[in-house]
Amino acid sequence: MTVLSIILQVLLGLGFLMFGFMKLGSKQMVEGFKHYGYPGWFRVFTGLVELISAVFVIVGIWNETLATWGGLLIVVTMIGAIITHIKIKDTVKSMVMPIILLICGLIIFLINFESLL
């Protein structure tokens, strides 16, 4: 476990706790998912995946296998976010944050990947 991984895990963990809880009830997220053309259940599902990702990367500070899985969940979730922005013909500027989060999740995944072997 490297210091870089721990820092990213704490930041992503806290961020994804916030993002996940927002998706479960924030009016802004309800409207956002309607704008994207997704049903309400998908917003809740996405929020739960983000909460699970957050728990995995935070607990992953002490368990590298969970960090690896949490990083992978973040990568997959951010790929979905980027595809959504492309689908609705959003600006590249609105894709910057999902791209950064994808890269951070990928770093966590790669740093801890050896724990799966």
Side-chain angles (χ1 to χ4, degrees):
M1 179 75 56
T2 68
V3 173
L4 173 62
S5 185
I6 292 170
I7 291 169
L8 288 175
Q9 285 170 242
V10 169
L11 293 174
L12 284 180
L14 294 174
F16 273 78
L17 281 173
M18 181 185 71
F19 303 148
F21 281 122
M22 285 176 60
K23 283 188 181 64
L24 296 181
S26 157
K27 185 177 179 180
Q28 178 185 1
M29 287 293 161
V30 170
E31 293 303 316
F33 271 69
K34 283 182 187 174
H35 173 72
Y36 301 145
Y38 294 133
W41 68 264
F42 188 69
R43 173 185 47 81
V44 173
F45 173 77
T46 304
L48 292 173
V49 169
E50 289 179 351
L51 290 172
I52 291 166
S53 301
V55 170
F56 279 12
V57 296
I58 291 170
V59 175
I61 293 169
W62 300 277
N63 181 321
E64 292 176 356
T65 301
L66 285 178
T68 306
W69 285 109
L72 181 61
L73 280 173
I74 289 170
V75 167
V76 170
T77 304
M78 291 304 100
I79 288 171
I82 293 164
I83 289 170
T84 297
H85 286 291
I86 292 169
K87 180 184 103 171
I88 66 166
K89 298 177 177 27
D90 222 342
T91 63
V92 173
K93 182 180 177 184
S94 64
M95 292 183 233
V96 171
M97 185 55 72
I99 291 169
I100 291 170
L101 295 171
L102 183 147
I103 291 168
C104 292
L106 185 61
I107 291 169
I108 290 171
F109 176 78
L110 293 173
I111 287 173
N112 295 286
F113 180 76
E114 200 172 279
S115 69
L116 295 180
L117 305 177

